[in-house]
Amino acid sequence: MRSRSEVLETAVLGLLNEAPLHGYELRKRLGLALGTFRALSYGSLYPALRRLVQQGLITAVEGDQRPSSDTNTARNGGRTRPARGTMTNKPALGRRGRIVYELTADGKEHLHTLLTNAGPTAWEDENFDVRFALFGQTDAETRLRILEGRRTRLAEQLEAVREAAARSRNRADEYTRELQRFGQEKVEHEVDWIDRLIRAERGRVDSASGVHPKSPGNTPQSKERG
Amino acid sequence: MRSRSEVLETAVLGLLNEAPLHGYELRKRLGLALGTFRALSYGSLYPALRRLVQQGLITAVEGDQRPSSDTNTARNGGRTRPARGTMTNKPALGRRGRIVYELTADGKEHLHTLLTNAGPTAWEDENFDVRFALFGQTDAETRLRILEGRRTRLAEQLEAVREAAARSRNRADEYTRELQRFGQEKVEHEVDWIDRLIRAERGRVDSASGVHPKSPGNTPQSKERG
DNA sequence: GTTAGCATGTAAGGAGTTACATGATTTT
DNA sequence: AAAATCATGTAACTCCTTACATGCTAAC
């Protein structure tokens, strides 16, 4: 039961914790939030939603409910109302029987345990991006521990790449070496990024700890899960 | 039949074209050559080798043959011979019945068609690294076309990321924006890299075209597949 | 009136991993 | 004698995508 993917689960629960959404919209946001060009396919998303419903972590409600805001608001570039000849005065129900998903109490609790866990699963390659995207819902201590874990992981990778490059220095041709060099650069680039983030988080913690209470309203919204 | 993964197939054929190898060694090189820390599992490699044998692209020969050089040469950090108490005078047959794989004529031909193809499959994310790693066996014209294709692909991705960032600028929180920013940086970084490579290739072509025959021996080994 | 976008889903299959199974050889 | 490394392979399973199936609404 704990073998399930966890990353998709976390992403969905995290997004739904910000606002109830239907599947189609959820998929788009999943793409946007991660800077992923390649969005998740429906063939993955809908079965995942069904599983979450079965686990009692989310509820599925037929569209009448009308989701909090989006999909009808700011989509059509500036125009407030279509106002064309067809009967557009139908209320926001819209299109087809949308199914709006919302977190249950269990779901919120489960999300909280997921977001509080700062173990290897949080900073490995496949998981880190999603966990980072949900830092807004993660408490400051956990954020810092995940960043530090990620930093260590990257340092390990860096050493592995360097060692691999050294081992095959003579054997490898020009292009292979160039590829290794660039691979190394990428890791170094991410290390720099993480270092900046860690410094930023430390500064945040310091100012929140009462030394210089410059911007106290900057701390995350859900320290104890709202 | 053309639905098969192609990337693993290309990588294996490309490595075997440099030297006959057995599976265990092949796997290690696959990792090194790509700067990949995460090596391919045997559960993928051995079935792939079997498929290639069945297709007649490679031959499997029991270890007696003794592979061209490696695995016994430069592995144990400088020591030329073990020279310890156990009977080490056994010939290079070694360990267990290794199976050495070698390209057939068909395999060489097939590899050539794979390496000459400069279409989208060459510059997409999943394939580019392997294709680039085999540039030493690719002719100059194809190299340049692949790099240019990759460049265009990256430009598309860059636009997609920027658009995504713009679309969710207000909606997204601080961390999500930071993630998008870094994602964009990564693509920009790769664009710069590709641009450098393209310039380098162009310079190479120019000097090879007879204007300034500075280093004529620099051109690849297999323009017409040796 | 036809294309594009919204919306939900299923079935089949592809590409890979992990865990298992086996055994020789080398090093400690 | 134990542990690490070499070496090959299979079976089950995971996670994901593609292709299909359906139908409504908005825009051109």
Side-chain angles (χ1 to χ4, degrees):
Chain A
M1 203 188 263
R2 185 79 302 107
S3 63
R4 281 282 165 224
S5 85
E6 191 142 330
V7 59
L8 180 53
E9 187 184 359
T10 307
V12 168
L13 294 180
L15 279 187
L16 290 183
N17 196 33
E18 288 166 2
L21 293 169
H22 58 278
Y24 191 90
E25 181 69 20
L26 200 47
R27 176 182 177 260
K28 280 196 300 183
R29 301 230 185 160
L30 239 31
L32 290 191
L34 283 106
T36 306
F37 344 101
R38 189 103 188 140
L40 186 79
S41 71
Y42 296 120
S44 294
L45 179 59
Y46 286 117
L49 287 170
R50 186 147 37 91
R51 282 198 303 270
L52 290 172
V53 171
Q54 276 166 358
Q55 292 178 263
L57 302 178
I58 61 177
T59 54
V61 181
E62 278 280 334
D64 237 314
Q65 306 300 100
R66 182 224 227 132
S68 58
S69 61
D70 199 81
T71 301
N72 316 63
T73 38
R75 200 172 55 256
N76 49 5
R79 219 189 291 156
T80 336
R81 282 191 296 165
R84 275 290 173 84
T86 48
M87 21 30 176
T88 338
N89 52 351
K90 269 185 185 169
L93 208 187
R95 305 181 161 79
R96 179 214 184 131
R98 286 166 168 160
I99 297 171
V100 177
Y101 296 94
E102 196 162 350
L103 287 189
T104 63
D106 272 13
K108 284 182 189 176
E109 200 181 310
H110 186 58
L111 175 62
H112 181 246
T113 57
L114 288 175
L115 291 182
T116 308
N117 162 33
T121 58
W123 56 66
E124 289 299 319
D125 292 337
E126 329 81 62
N127 301 282
F128 177 74
D129 280 9
V130 166
R131 291 302 303 273
F132 185 79
L134 297 177
F135 264 19
Q137 300 176 48
T138 308
D139 65 275
E141 208 186 305
T142 308
R143 289 200 302 258
L144 196 51
R145 268 192 291 153
I146 292 175
L147 288 173
E148 284 164 349
R150 181 71 187 152
R151 220 257 168 224
T152 304
R153 183 76 194 88
L154 288 173
E156 285 166 20
Q157 288 186 3
L158 200 50
E159 216 204 327
V161 187
R162 279 176 179 150
E163 206 189 305
R167 243 183 308 162
S168 61
R169 184 142 300 161
N170 302 314
R171 157 150 70 225
D173 67 64
E174 193 190 347
Y175 293 107
T176 304
R177 283 201 308 270
E178 184 58 44
L179 192 59
Q180 288 171 338
R181 205 148 43 219
F182 184 60
Q184 190 178 318
E185 260 180 54
K186 282 196 277 194
V187 182
E188 285 164 353
H189 189 212
E190 188 169 347
V191 168
D192 289 346
W193 181 60
I194 295 287
D195 282 343
R196 281 202 303 278
L197 292 169
I198 288 176
R199 278 196 298 275
E201 287 292 336
R202 291 235 171 90
R204 220 180 288 236
V205 167
D206 287 350
S207 41
S209 306
V211 186
H212 268 304
K214 270 181 179 174
S215 52
N218 225 3
T219 25
Q221 48 265 57
S222 67
K223 183 134 200 168
E224 202 58 11
R225 189 174 88 264
Chain B
M1 204 187 263
R2 186 82 300 109
S3 63
R4 283 280 166 224
S5 84
E6 189 142 332
V7 58
L8 180 53
E9 186 185 359
T10 308
V12 168
L13 294 179
L15 278 186
L16 290 183
N17 196 33
E18 288 165 2
L21 292 168
H22 58 278
Y24 191 89
E25 181 68 20
L26 201 46
R27 175 180 178 261
K28 279 196 302 181
R29 301 230 186 159
L30 239 30
L32 290 191
L34 283 108
T36 305
F37 345 101
R38 190 104 186 140
L40 186 79
S41 70
Y42 296 118
S44 294
L45 179 58
Y46 286 116
L49 286 170
R50 187 148 34 91
R51 282 197 303 270
L52 290 172
V53 171
Q54 276 166 358
Q55 291 177 260
L57 302 179
I58 62 177
T59 54
V61 181
E62 278 280 334
D64 238 312
Q65 306 301 101
R66 182 224 228 131
S68 57
S69 61
D70 199 82
T71 301
N72 314 62
T73 38
R75 201 173 57 257
N76 48 5
R79 220 190 288 154
T80 334
R81 281 190 297 163
R84 276 288 174 84
T86 47
M87 17 44 169
T88 337
N89 51 352
K90 270 185 186 169
L93 208 187
R95 303 179 164 79
R96 180 215 184 131
R98 286 168 170 159
I99 297 172
V100 177
Y101 296 95
E102 197 163 349
L103 286 191
T104 62
D106 270 14
K108 283 182 190 175
E109 201 180 310
H110 185 59
L111 175 61
H112 181 246
T113 58
L114 288 174
L115 290 182
T116 309
N117 162 33
T121 56
W123 55 66
E124 288 299 317
D125 292 337
E126 328 81 64
N127 301 281
F128 177 75
D129 280 9
V130 166
R131 291 302 302 274
F132 184 79
L134 297 177
F135 264 19
Q137 300 176 47
T138 309
D139 65 275
E141 207 186 305
T142 308
R143 288 200 303 257
L144 195 51
R145 269 193 290 155
I146 291 175
L147 288 174
E148 284 164 350
R150 182 72 187 152
R151 221 258 168 221
T152 303
R153 183 78 194 88
L154 288 173
E156 285 166 19
Q157 288 185 3
L158 201 48
E159 214 204 328
V161 187
R162 279 177 181 150
E163 205 188 305
R167 243 183 306 163
S168 62
R169 184 141 300 161
N170 301 315
R171 156 149 71 227
D173 67 65
E174 193 188 347
Y175 293 106
T176 303
R177 285 201 307 270
E178 184 60 43
L179 192 57
Q180 288 171 339
R181 205 148 43 219
F182 184 60
Q184 191 178 317
E185 260 180 54
K186 281 197 277 194
V187 182
E188 286 164 353
H189 188 212
E190 189 169 346
V191 168
D192 289 347
W193 182 59
I194 295 287
D195 281 343
R196 280 201 304 278
L197 292 170
I198 288 176
R199 277 196 297 276
E201 287 292 337
R202 291 235 171 91
R204 221 182 288 237
V205 167
D206 287 350
S207 41
S209 305
V211 187
H212 269 304
K214 272 179 178 175
S215 53
N218 226 3
T219 25
Q221 48 264 58
S222 67
K223 182 134 199 168
E224 202 57 15
R225 193 173 86 263

